[in-house]
């Protein structure tokens, strides 16, 4: 599966079958089951798919096998995969992942695995013991013959609903095959030294990406970015002290909610959702509240695509010995964010945004001063207690079961980022939004955030007059693109376009074409609007 590299890829994701060729072995599926299965192949043919039959040397194809096979080829008996590859070449399907294997035996299914087939389906009746042998072949599904057509249209056909799309939402992001392959790593007990080795590698790579030294520590959590936000927030404030929360979007509000629910008193500095926090107001609040223990601020408010001046805020707080906690969930990897020596003590992030990993792993990076604060703060949570993670690390362990597949994916994503180069990744993000900004201006869509305050990945745009978000969303989704609704005050009037993940400008060119057509198609004309009921 390619990443979102072009408009052609997006169109293929939106319209193409995931499996072009279905292959079975002669004499592998019983004549009774094969006769019941044959009518299902008509559905595949109507959808443009092809059927092939591989005939081992010691067999001859039966009449029904010759009839259902668009091609009949010779090849060794399963579990040898070579006959499948001959069928693939004969059907001129250039990607083995677009081949599906149908099997009535574990050996046939194993041949599919050895060949690298994209789908492996067992065929068997229901009933006690009828499918036990097939389970040895580890199929993706086992169906009765009459069920295969429904399975095909649900998972593999050109009209299936669940399919790859270009995700223009603010996470999860489209990721490369490298990440998808990584999460399929071996089952692993997190109490074994192999997991500790993975953790140590991930910690070192995150320090490198964040630009901090070995004196910074890591709390690696199983959970979404909000888990990291909460762990950071509750670990940054001592008992009887206050948290200053910067609030100019939904995620600043979330920081305040986390604090309030954990009994932490809040001091607020607020701004409109399309304006950055004013560092001077932070300074005034600090001067007026000498019991503030920490400042919490969102670097990139994906509510609107706004960047807050976290460096300036941190500089003001650090000289007062006030710890600074930064939500960098949708900025680390894409935005300039210096940590070492800036006064930032906590950084919360997740794997599935600008780092291009998959959901399920989040983390908090802590400066030495941040670690000291965690040791001083009340232990307000069991699962999100950063001190517990630090204590376990001293013993080469973890306090709770981590999301090992997500961490496999995170390490692969960090390797990919370091191979690409951090500055190159940031330049790619800037190039994408520069293209979008030019095209949005041409269309007449002006982001609600001033140019100087915009991020490199998210744009919040006013809905064109007469265009409802739901209709616009559904129209571009039909072309293979997923946009996102506005949040907070902007939910009724705005929509968002985000460029997180593995994509290139070529894919965005297709999106702009889709967006223009969709706006024209779904807009309610003025004469229609006046006729609508009040």
């Amino acid at each position: 599966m390619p990443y979102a590299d072009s408009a052609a890829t997006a169109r293929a994701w939106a319209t193409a079958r995931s499996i072009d060729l279905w292959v079975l072995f002669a004499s592998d599926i019983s004549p009774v089951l094969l006769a019941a299965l044959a009518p299902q192949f008509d559905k595949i043919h109507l959808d443009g798919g092809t059927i092939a039959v591989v005939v081992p040397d010691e067999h001859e194809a039966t009449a029904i096998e010759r009839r259902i096979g668009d091609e009949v080829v010779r090849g060794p008996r399963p579990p040898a995969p070579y006959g499948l590859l001959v069928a693939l070449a004969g059907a001129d399907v250039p990607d083995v992942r677009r081949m599906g294997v149908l099997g009535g035996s574990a050996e046939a299914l194993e041949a599919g695995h050895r060949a690298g087939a994209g789908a492996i389906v067992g065929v068997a009746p229901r009933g006690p013991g009828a499918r036990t042998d097939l389970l040895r072949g580890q199929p993706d599904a086992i169906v009765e013959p009459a069920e295969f057509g429904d399975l095909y249209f649900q998972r593999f056909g050109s009209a299936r609903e669940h399919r790859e799309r270009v995700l223009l939402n603010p996470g999860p992001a489209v990721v490369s095959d490298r990440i998808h392959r990584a999460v399929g790593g071996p089952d692993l007990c997190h109490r074994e030294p192999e997991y500790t080795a993975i953790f140590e590698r991930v910690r070192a790579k995150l320090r490198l990406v964040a630009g901090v030294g070995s004196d910074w520590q890591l709390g690696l959590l199983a959970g979404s970015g909000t888990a990291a936000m909460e762990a950071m927030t509750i670990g940054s404030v001592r008992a009887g002290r206050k948290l200053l929360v910067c609030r100019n979007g939904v995620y600043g509000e979330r920081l305040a909610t986390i604090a309030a629910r954990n009994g932490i008193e809040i001091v607020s500095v607020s701004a409109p959702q399309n304006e950055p926090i004013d560092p001077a107001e932070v300074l005034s609040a600090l001067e007026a509240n000498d019991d503030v223990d920490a400042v919490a601020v969102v670097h990139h408010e994906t509510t609107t695509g706004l960047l807050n001046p976290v460096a300036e805020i941190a500089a003001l707080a650090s000289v007062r010995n006030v710890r600074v906690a930064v939500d960098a969930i949708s900025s680390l990897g894409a935005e300039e964010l210096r940590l070492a020596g800036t006064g930032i003590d906590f950084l919360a992030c997740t794997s599935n945004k600008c780092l291009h990993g998959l959901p399920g792993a989040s983390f908090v990076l802590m400066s030495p001063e941040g670690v000291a604060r965690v040791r001083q703060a009340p232990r307000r949570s069991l699962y999100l207690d950063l001190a517990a993670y630090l204590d376990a690390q001293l013993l080469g362990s973890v306090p709770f079961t981590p999301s090992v597949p997500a961490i496999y994916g995170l390490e692969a994503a960090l390797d990919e980022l370091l191979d690409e180069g951090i500055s190159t990744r940031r330049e790619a993000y800037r190039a994408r939004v520069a293209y979008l900004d030019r095209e949005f201006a041409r269309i007449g869509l002006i982001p609600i955030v001033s140019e100087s305050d915009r991020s490199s990945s998210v744009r919040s745009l006013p809905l064109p007059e007469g265009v409802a978000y739901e209709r616009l969303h559904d129209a571009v989704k039909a072309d293979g693109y997923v946009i996102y609704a506005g949040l907070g005050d902007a939910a009724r009037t705005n929509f968002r376009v985000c460029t997180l993940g593995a994509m290139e400008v070529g894919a965005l060119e297709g999106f702009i074409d889709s967006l223009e057509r969709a706006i024209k198609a779904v807009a309610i004309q003025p004469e229609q609007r006046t006729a609508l009921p009040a």
Side-chain angles (χ1 to χ4, degrees):
M1 179 184 68
Y3 63 97
D5 57 348
S6 67
T9 294
R11 283 194 299 272
W13 282 355
T15 61
R17 301 173 300 276
S18 66
I19 299 296
D20 293 324
L21 172 68
W22 289 92
V23 187
L24 55 91
F25 286 93
S27 303
D28 178 66
I29 299 174
S30 74
V32 172
L33 293 179
L34 192 58
L37 184 63
Q40 303 297 307
F41 293 147
D42 294 336
K43 301 175 183 180
I44 294 176
H45 286 135
L46 288 173
D47 200 39
T50 301
I51 312 298
V53 177
V54 177
V55 184
D57 292 337
E58 64 271 29
H59 293 276
E60 292 297 330
T62 65
I64 191 171
E65 288 167 345
R66 289 194 299 271
R67 187 169 71 250
I68 65 175
D70 299 301
E71 61 168 332
V72 177
V73 300
R74 284 284 180 184
R77 63 187 302 171
Y82 308 112
L84 300 176
L85 300 177
V86 171
L88 189 76
D92 196 26
V93 175
D95 188 339
V96 70
R97 293 169 296 182
R98 303 187 74 84
M99 175 179 69
V101 175
L102 284 166
S105 67
E107 290 73 19
L109 302 180
E110 175 61 24
H113 285 292
R114 294 183 182 185
I120 299 171
V121 177
V123 180
R126 297 186 187 278
R131 300 183 171 189
T132 303
D133 182 67
L134 281 182
L135 291 174
R136 292 191 300 106
Q138 301 185 72
D140 302 319
I142 302 176
V143 296
E144 291 185 342
E147 298 172 334
F148 177 64
D150 289 340
L151 177 72
Y152 171 80
F153 283 115
Q154 179 187 31
R155 295 195 190 182
F156 311 115
S158 61
R160 68 193 184 282
E161 291 187 3
H162 185 49
R163 61 194 311 137
E164 191 74 24
R165 292 181 173 92
V166 180
L167 301 183
L168 301 178
N169 53 274
V174 172
V175 303
S176 70
D177 275 0
R178 180 175 186 169
I179 314 308
H180 287 294
R181 288 193 297 270
V183 299
D187 301 325
L188 176 63
C189 175
H190 58 288
R191 303 297 182 193
E192 293 299 307
E194 293 85 354
Y195 175 78
T196 302
I198 293 171
F199 172 82
E200 293 295 342
R201 294 198 304 267
V202 167
R203 179 166 61 176
K205 293 166 186 176
L206 280 171
R207 286 169 172 161
L208 189 57
V209 168
V212 297
S214 59
D215 55 342
W216 280 62
Q217 298 303 317
L218 174 70
L220 186 58
L221 310 171
S224 70
T226 300
M229 287 176 71
E230 185 154 356
M232 172 184 75
T233 301
I234 65 179
S236 65
V237 183
R238 292 172 290 188
R241 308 281 288 179
K242 297 177 182 177
L243 177 70
L244 191 157
V245 181
C246 299
R247 305 167 74 163
N248 60 340
V250 166
Y251 297 99
E253 297 299 323
R254 185 171 295 180
L255 287 168
T257 299
I258 289 169
R261 291 191 180 182
N262 283 276
I264 300 171
E265 190 173 348
I266 300 166
V267 174
S268 294
V269 172
S270 300
Q273 288 191 352
N274 62 341
E275 295 180 15
I277 295 293
D278 185 350
E281 292 193 19
V282 174
L283 176 60
S284 296
L286 291 172
E287 291 175 339
N289 297 271
D290 60 5
D291 53 354
V292 166
D293 217 22
V295 174
V297 58
V298 178
H299 185 210
H300 176 206
E301 260 291 359
T302 54
T303 305
T304 55
L306 170 79
L307 290 177
N308 277 313
V310 294
E312 293 88 336
I313 291 170
L316 295 171
S318 63
V319 298
R320 290 164 175 78
N321 200 32
V322 173
R323 303 281 73 84
V324 177
V326 173
D327 169 354
I329 286 171
S330 58
S331 64
L332 183 66
E335 307 290 348
E336 297 287 342
L337 179 60
R338 194 164 60 87
L339 298 180
T342 63
I344 295 173
D345 299 299
F346 297 89
L347 181 141
C349 193
T350 186
S351 58
N352 62 291
K353 293 185 185 284
C354 301
L355 296 180
H356 302 185
L358 293 173
S362 61
F363 57 89
V364 180
L365 282 164
M366 294 162 273
S367 72
E369 294 78 10
V371 170
R373 175 58 53 82
V374 164
R375 299 294 189 190
Q376 298 163 348
R379 305 186 84 162
R380 296 178 170 99
S381 171
L382 174 66
Y383 188 71
L384 300 177
D385 178 12
L386 289 173
Y389 288 84
L390 296 174
D391 290 343
Q393 288 171 31
L394 294 174
L395 302 174
S397 185
V398 289
F400 308 104
T401 305
S403 177
V404 173
I407 293 170
Y408 283 154
L410 174 58
E411 183 175 23
L414 293 170
D415 287 339
E416 188 173 70
L417 171 55
L418 294 170
D419 288 341
E420 181 181 353
I422 298 168
S423 61
T424 303
R425 168 74 58 87
R426 290 172 182 161
E427 289 168 6
Y429 268 88
R430 289 192 289 267
R432 293 178 209 164
V433 291
Y435 168 77
L436 287 179
D437 284 344
R438 290 193 301 270
E439 293 301 303
F440 289 150
R442 179 180 60 79
I443 296 171
L445 297 174
I446 306 302
I448 68 171
V449 172
S450 297
E451 184 174 356
S452 59
D453 301 322
R454 296 174 193 164
S455 74
S456 298
S457 61
V458 176
R459 293 293 181 263
S460 183
L461 304 155
L463 285 164
E465 189 174 3
V467 174
Y469 169 75
E470 291 79 8
R471 296 185 68 194
L472 183 64
H473 167 275
D474 292 350
V476 297
K477 185 176 181 180
D479 287 338
Y481 298 92
V482 174
I483 59 175
Y484 219 54
L487 280 178
D489 300 339
R492 291 179 173 271
T493 58
N494 296 348
F495 71 103
R496 289 178 292 167
V497 177
C498 317
T499 61
L500 284 68
M503 68 176 68
E504 294 187 8
V505 171
L508 298 175
E509 292 171 354
F511 165 68
I512 290 296
D513 178 65
S514 174
L515 181 66
E516 286 192 273
R517 287 186 285 104
I519 289 172
K520 293 175 183 177
V522 306
I524 301 174
Q525 299 305 313
E527 61 271 17
Q528 295 173 305
R529 291 198 292 271
T530 57
L532 291 176

